[in-house]
Amino acid sequence: MNTFKNKKNQKLPEISTASLPDIVFMLLFFFMVATVMREDTLMIENRLPYADQVERLENKNLVMSIYAGKPSSRYIYVGDEAKIQLNDKFASLQEIKSFILSERAGKRDAEIPFLITALKVDKDTKMGLVGDIKKELRAVNALKINYTTRNGDVANNSQ
């Protein structure tokens, strides 16, 4: 004959935590791959000009960025003249040489000939400042220069 067992006295089985480390490492790996690291905090206005013949750079870790433009509204205390930004601080023209040399020092010797200086200049910035930046770059033999632009019609630059 069948007998019925009383299930009231039985405990629930414990939850297995054997797969918990796998789940944690899978989440860690996902966030490491999906997270984008911030490059620089822009302290200037940076409305890039339009260009119709644009090429994308292949290797971004060989690019040194120099920003130029008027300070943004949060940094109006430094004046309203166009400024140079290197990494996360305002800089003078004389600091460009040391910036380029320190960036080169952080790279391997085989990468140094392939370093590119990207000028990210606001479209309202005077060309005199750009010419001064280029003169400082020539002094440290940083001759590979890239002008960063947006893809679009050149007629939009006058707006």
Side-chain angles (χ1 to χ4, degrees), residues 114-130:
F114 302 106
L115 289 177
I116 298 171
T117 305
L119 296 181
K120 298 182 179 183
V121 182
D122 185 64
K123 67 180 182 178
D124 295 330
T125 302
K126 306 273 189 234
M127 279 304 293
L129 180 62
V130 176

Side-chain angles (χ1 to χ4, degrees), residues 73 78 82 110 122 151 156-157:
S73 59
V78 297
D122 185 64
N151 195 7
N156 294 336
N157 289 333

Side-chain angles (χ1 to χ4, degrees), residues 33-87:
V33 170
T35 302
V36 177
M37 300 303 285
R38 178 180 58 88
E39 277 186 34
D40 295 319
T41 301
L42 281 181
M43 301 165 63
I44 61 168
E45 293 178 7
N46 197 359
R47 296 180 316 254
L48 297 174
Y50 290 99
D52 56 3
Q53 297 178 1
V54 178
E55 292 182 24
R56 189 169 294 275
L57 290 175
E58 296 296 323
N59 200 349
K60 300 263 183 173
N61 66 344
L62 296 176
V63 176
M64 304 172 287
S65 297
I66 297 177
Y67 299 92
K70 290 183 180 180
S72 65
S73 59
R74 292 187 342 191
Y75 301 98
I76 199 68
Y77 62 88
V78 297
D80 59 351
E81 292 289 320
K83 301 284 183 195
I84 299 170
Q85 179 183 343
L86 303 173
N87 291 336

